[in-house]
Amino acid sequence: TADHLDRHGTFESYREAKLQAFARQRPEHLAVLPDGFSAPGQARRVRFGGQPTADMRLHDGRLVWQGEPLIAAQDLRLRGPHNLQNAMAAAAVALARGIDRDAVVEALRTFAGVAHRLEEVATRDGVLYVNDSKATNVDSTLVALRSFPSGVRLILGGRGKGQDFRPLAPEIERRCASVHLIGEDADRIAAAIGGEPHHDGDLEHAVAHARELAEPGDVVLLSPACASFDQFADFEARGEAFRRIVG
């Protein structure tokens, strides 16, 4: 999916740069690829997805490795449909390299994720605060939004990297109770997503405003869809600031 278009110019150039990782692989290497994805290089292919021919596939609500059930999808610790895909890919890597099956299952069942990626920071007065500062492009924010059915107070904005923010609009309308804009591309984002977002300027004001509006059961989600360099050293500093502000 599109990212860093300010650097690469076009999605095609960005994709070609990514594919160089596969192009440099030799026959003794392993390429773990989703169904239907074509990549260069000589590595052994391992496929994951929903097709019956995939080495790792989702079937009847379970992850299945080379025909043998592995774990129920509902038993994965991580939330969101994108993390189901991540889990399938990671498990395929491990199993294809001979990692013990029971160890893989235990990891899938217990791994709670990494900092700044849908990180559940705290629950205050019935409101969940989630740090997804690593979401520096539109597609990452879309998968974050799809992890929550409704009641999202979304903090969005920063340095936009030349992206089209319009794809966010349908998911925002479907899932968000409010949108809080920060950073240098706030006006451009507002024009793209429509509606009535709040122009809060910076992260501290955005968190305070979202907290003021939030009701029990809501989610205050920092998932900016932008780089952080207009106001922070990097996405990690932005996420750490969110943690501090939430308290």
Side-chain angles (χ1 to χ4, degrees):
T1 57
D3 199 1
H4 302 296
L5 300 188
D6 55 337
R7 186 185 313 160
H8 293 275
T10 66
F11 174 68
E12 288 72 24
S13 295
Y14 175 59
R15 184 179 186 277
E16 184 61 30
K18 288 283 191 181
L19 288 176
Q20 290 306 303
F22 295 100
R24 288 171 167 78
Q25 288 187 300
R26 299 187 296 277
E28 66 269 24
H29 296 150
L30 186 70
V32 178
L33 303 167
D35 286 335
F37 187 88
S38 178
Q42 300 177 307
R44 176 166 67 95
R45 264 57 176 153
V46 172
R47 298 283 180 177
F48 68 95
Q51 296 298 317
T53 55
D55 300 275
M56 174 68 72
R57 69 188 185 108
L58 182 65
H59 179 67
D60 288 341
R62 299 186 67 85
L63 273 62
V64 177
W65 171 250
Q66 296 183 341
E68 295 294 325
L70 189 67
I71 188 174
Q74 67 180 16
D75 291 339
L76 298 178
R77 175 77 182 274
L78 297 175
R79 71 166 78 225
H82 66 294
N83 274 324
L84 177 59
Q85 294 292 314
N86 288 336
M88 293 172 71
V93 169
L95 292 166
R97 281 303 191 195
I99 301 298
D100 180 75
R101 182 187 183 90
D102 291 340
V104 173
V105 170
E106 181 66 11
L108 292 172
R109 185 178 288 117
T110 60
F111 179 63
V114 298
H116 314 298
R117 173 58 81 196
L118 284 180
E119 176 191 10
E120 298 184 5
V121 171
T123 299
R124 300 278 185 266
D125 300 320
V127 176
L128 177 64
Y129 292 81
V130 178
N131 169 24
D132 195 41
S133 184
K134 183 69 169 67
T136 61
N137 60 62
V138 167
D139 287 287
S140 294
T141 297
L142 284 172
V143 297
L145 285 171
R146 290 166 183 157
S147 300
F148 304 97
S150 62
V152 176
R153 309 284 178 173
L154 176 64
I155 301 173
L156 186 65
R159 183 167 293 168
K161 300 191 290 183
Q163 302 171 86
D164 181 1
F165 292 96
R166 288 175 295 177
L168 290 170
E171 293 296 344
I172 286 173
E173 183 177 4
R174 186 175 297 119
R175 301 172 192 273
C176 290
S178 61
V179 176
H180 303 264
L181 298 178
I182 63 174
E184 68 181 35
D185 271 346
D187 289 341
R188 193 163 71 84
I189 295 169
I193 65 175
E196 298 181 352
H198 303 285
H199 288 257
D200 288 325
D202 59 38
L203 187 57
E204 187 166 2
H205 286 93
V207 173
H209 197 179
R211 176 181 281 147
E212 177 186 339
L213 297 177
E215 301 175 354
D218 285 355
V219 178
V220 175
L221 173 65
L222 170 65
S223 190
C226 291
S228 58
F229 303 123
D230 56 332
Q231 295 181 325
F232 298 94
D234 51 34
F235 76 86
E236 293 169 317
R238 180 171 59 189
E240 292 291 346
F242 180 75
R243 284 201 201 109
R244 288 195 303 271
I245 295 165
V246 169

